[in-house]
């Protein structure tokens, strides 16, 4: 570790602010086509756990849906530091070593081509079906009814997007109160120091949760 990396690590360790417990990383299919991209992802998951995260959500945005099966297959082979699940648009689920029947207690969740708009629309369709069959009163519908029908309902504390200042249709509902961190560093060049910068930036902020 270089001097600058050591400085960042010390600054994080002695910072008064709490690190994010749930970190979301938004990357694209093109990011994963670069040599070493999956190794970078494995390392990034390790950095997140090392610096205080208890849960990590990775969103892979996809423009060409034909690449989803290939990306999903490769991601399920990921050398991750903790049990993980991978889900795509077909809502398929896999966990490392069959760790859990659901994703509720799995610390790392990865979505491939599962856009926030599509996820929200699916939740609305499910609510409409429950209203139609009489199991849900329209007047009683609240935010929890929507959240309960999302693939990964937990809200991230920090969302990191590399390479561009846009979310790529990531977790529209869940990220409404998240702190957003954009870096112009492309995924192929993303290093521990870049992750630490994001964490320290989060610790420097005063969260308002929409207030």
């Amino acid at each position: 570790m270089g001097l600058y990396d050591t400085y960042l690590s010390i600054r994080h360790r002695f910072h008064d602010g709490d690190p994010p417990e749930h970190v979301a990383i938004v990357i694209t299919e093109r990011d994963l086509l670069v040599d070493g991209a999956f190794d970078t992802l494995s390392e990034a998951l390790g950095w997140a756990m090392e610096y205080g995260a208890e849960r990590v959500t990775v969103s892979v945005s996809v423009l060409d849906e034909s690449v989803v099966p290939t990306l999903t297959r490769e991601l399920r082979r990921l050398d991750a530091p903790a049990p993980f699940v991978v889900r795509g648009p077909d809502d398929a689920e896999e966990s490392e070593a069959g760790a859990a029947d659901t994703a509720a207690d799995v610390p790392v969740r990865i979505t491939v081509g599962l856009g926030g708009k599509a996820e929200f629309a699916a939740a609305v369709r499910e609510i409409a079906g429950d209203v139609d069959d009489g199991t849900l009163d329209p007047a009683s519908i609240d935010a929890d009814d929507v959240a309960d029908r999302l693939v990964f309902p937990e809200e991230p504390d920090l969302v990191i997007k590399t390479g561009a200042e846009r979310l790529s249709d990531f977790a529209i509902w869940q990220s409404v109160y998240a702190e957003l961190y954009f870096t112009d560093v492309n995924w192929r060049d993303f290093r521990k120091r870049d992750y630490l910068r994001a964490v320290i930036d989060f610790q420097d902020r005063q969260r308002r949760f929409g207030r």
Side-chain angles (χ1 to χ4, degrees), residues 3-91:
L3 289 176
Y4 182 63
D5 300 281
T6 301
Y7 160 75
L8 289 175
S9 183
I10 292 173
R11 185 180 174 194
H12 159 73
R13 185 179 302 115
F14 292 101
H15 201 293
D16 291 335
D18 293 327
E21 294 182 3
H22 182 183
V23 175
I25 300 173
V26 184
I27 56 180
T28 69
E29 62 182 280
R30 291 184 178 180
D31 291 328
L32 291 179
L33 294 176
V34 178
D35 288 343
F38 290 94
D39 292 334
T40 299
L41 181 54
S42 296
E43 292 173 350
L45 294 174
W47 302 331
M49 299 295 178
E50 179 182 354
Y51 293 107
E54 298 178 359
R55 172 162 288 171
V56 183
T57 299
V58 178
S59 172
V60 182
S61 65
V62 171
L63 293 177
D64 181 3
E65 293 185 2
S66 68
V67 305
V68 170
T70 300
L71 290 178
T72 300
R73 182 181 65 251
E74 294 303 315
L75 285 165
R76 286 173 180 160
R77 297 173 179 171
L78 192 69
D79 182 18
F84 65 95
V85 295
V86 179
R87 283 188 173 177
D90 60 355
D91 204 26

Side-chain angles (χ1 to χ4, degrees), residues 46-157:
W47 302 331
M49 299 295 178
E50 179 182 354
Y51 293 107
E54 298 178 359
R55 172 162 288 171
V56 183
T57 299
V58 178
S59 172
V60 182
S61 65
V62 171
L63 293 177
D64 181 3
E65 293 185 2
S66 68
V67 305
V68 170
T70 300
L71 290 178
T72 300
R73 182 181 65 251
E74 294 303 315
L75 285 165
R76 286 173 180 160
R77 297 173 179 171
L78 192 69
D79 182 18
F84 65 95
V85 295
V86 179
R87 283 188 173 177
D90 60 355
D91 204 26
E93 178 181 338
E94 287 287 340
S95 62
E96 178 71 2
D101 293 329
T102 68
D105 298 318
V106 179
V108 176
R109 287 88 59 81
I110 303 172
T111 68
V112 185
L114 186 65
K117 288 184 178 180
E119 184 185 26
F120 183 72
V124 172
R125 284 196 299 272
E126 187 174 338
I127 288 174
D130 291 341
V131 170
D132 189 55
D133 63 22
T135 59
L136 184 63
D137 179 6
S140 70
I141 296 173
D142 58 18
D144 289 337
D145 289 305
V146 176
D148 289 344
R149 290 164 172 80
L150 299 175
V151 177
F152 294 138
E154 290 81 7
E155 300 178 2
D157 299 305

